[in-house]
């Protein structure tokens, strides 16, 4: 099986998981919408550190919370944000899948799985507002040309060395945080705000995981997109939890 075939197989498995999550959403009771980072132990190639954290979003509980909120008409900015972030979460998933196949470090597999739950969370908004889903079934393929170029550039960097790969992980999470924060400024609908706030918690947890792994390899990561102040605040923070009420 080629690397492309393996990535396609993994991606289709994740889509099946999404279908199961959506089924449970119909019967889930309200509760925690965001699951905390859990440490997963593993070893990377060469015996390097492979422990990582994931920031899963429980799509079933999140769906129950969203259902209790009004579905007000979308503004153009809100519509644009939903479509962009949906594909941006796919980018993270697909890049981490490639990097796990290349380097075998467990953090990439763990956070790729977590990104699948972030995609599922955005799919809830796609379905709720009847939007056309921009996500392709094909790994590494994107409707948005900016995201396509970003994916290509990140994969090229991440396959150069393991340190480059871990830096790519930190870059992705920085970009996610900056982009979602930007879209949040134009959000009035409570359900969209709830989803975005949960995704932000996940991205901050993922950033901490990549930075701490780089530190174990003796590398001090320098923020590329976040301000030094915000970056230091995030890294100094602890595992974040969210709830169905947001915040």
């Amino acid at each position: 099986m080629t690397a492309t075939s393996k990535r396609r197989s993994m991606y289709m498995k994740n889509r099946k998981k999404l279908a199961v999550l959506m089924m449970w959403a119909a019967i889930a009771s309200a509760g925690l919408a965001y699951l905390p980072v859990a440490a997963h132990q593993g070893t990377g190639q060469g015996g390097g550190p492979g422990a990582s954290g994931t920031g899963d979003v429980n799509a079933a509980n999140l769906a129950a919370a969203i259902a209790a909120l009004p579905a007000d008409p979308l503004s153009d900015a809100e519509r644009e944000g939903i479509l962009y972030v949906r594909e941006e979460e796919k980018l993270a998933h697909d890049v981490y899948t490639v990097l796990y196949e290349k380097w075998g470090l467990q953090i990439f597999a763990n956070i790729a799985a977590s990104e699948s739950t972030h995609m599922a969370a955005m799919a809830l908004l796609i379905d709720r507002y009847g939007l056309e889903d921009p996500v392709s079934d094909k790994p590494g393929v994107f409707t948005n040309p900016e995201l396509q170029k970003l994916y290509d550039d990140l994969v090229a960097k991440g396959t150069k060395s393991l340190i480059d790969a871990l830096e790519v992980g930190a870059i992705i999470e920085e970009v996610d945080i900056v982009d979602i924060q930007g879209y949040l400024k134009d959000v009035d609908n409570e359900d969209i705000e709830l989803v975005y706030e949960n995704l932000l918690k996940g991205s901050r947890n993922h950033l901490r995981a990549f930075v701490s792994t780089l530190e174990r390899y003796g590398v001090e990561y320098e923020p590329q997109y976040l301000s030094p102040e915000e970056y230091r605040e995030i890294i100094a923070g602890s595992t974040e939890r969210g709830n169905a009420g947001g915040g």
Side-chain angles (χ1 to χ4, degrees), residues 82-94:
I82 291 172
L83 297 175
Y84 189 89
V85 175
R86 166 74 166 150
E87 268 206 301
E88 191 171 53
E89 297 298 340
K90 177 185 187 292
L91 178 148
H93 169 274
D94 290 0

Side-chain angles (χ1 to χ4, degrees), residues 149-205:
K149 183 179 186 307
L150 181 60
Y151 170 85
D152 295 339
D153 291 345
L154 291 172
V155 168
K157 174 177 170 61
T159 51
K160 289 180 180 179
S161 72
L162 178 55
I163 297 303
D164 280 310
L166 291 167
E167 289 177 346
V168 161
I171 288 170
I172 287 174
E173 301 306 332
E174 275 198 85
V175 170
D176 280 1
I177 291 168
V178 170
D179 287 346
I180 294 173
Q181 285 176 336
Y183 282 121
L184 258 176
K185 295 177 181 177
D186 296 319
V187 168
D188 292 320
N189 290 15
E190 294 178 72
D191 53 352
I192 303 174
E193 181 179 2
L194 173 61
V195 173
Y196 283 175
E197 291 291 355
N198 278 273
L199 295 186
L200 281 173
K201 291 180 175 69
S203 290
R204 289 191 291 261
N205 287 335

Side-chain angles (χ1 to χ4, degrees), residues 74 79 82-84 86-87 122-123 125-135 143:
L74 293 177
R79 181 179 295 103
I82 291 172
L83 297 175
Y84 189 89
R86 166 74 166 150
E87 268 206 301
M122 291 308 299
L125 295 177
I126 293 282
D127 292 342
R128 181 172 170 85
Y129 289 101
L131 302 179
E132 183 177 352
D133 192 354
V135 164
T143 301

Side-chain angles (χ1 to χ4, degrees), residues 13-23 86 120 123:
K13 288 179 180 178
N14 286 334
R15 285 183 64 85
K16 290 179 181 178
K17 291 179 182 178
L18 171 59
V20 173
L21 285 170
M22 295 300 292
M23 176 188 72
R86 166 74 166 150

Side-chain angles (χ1 to χ4, degrees), residues 47-71:
S52 73
T54 62
D56 300 346
V57 172
N58 187 319
N61 289 343
L62 187 58
I66 288 174
L69 298 172

Side-chain angles (χ1 to χ4, degrees), residues 31-36 197-198 201 240-247:
L32 287 180
Y34 179 79
L35 298 181
E197 291 291 355
N198 278 273
K201 291 180 175 69
E240 295 181 69
R241 296 173 180 265
N243 55 57

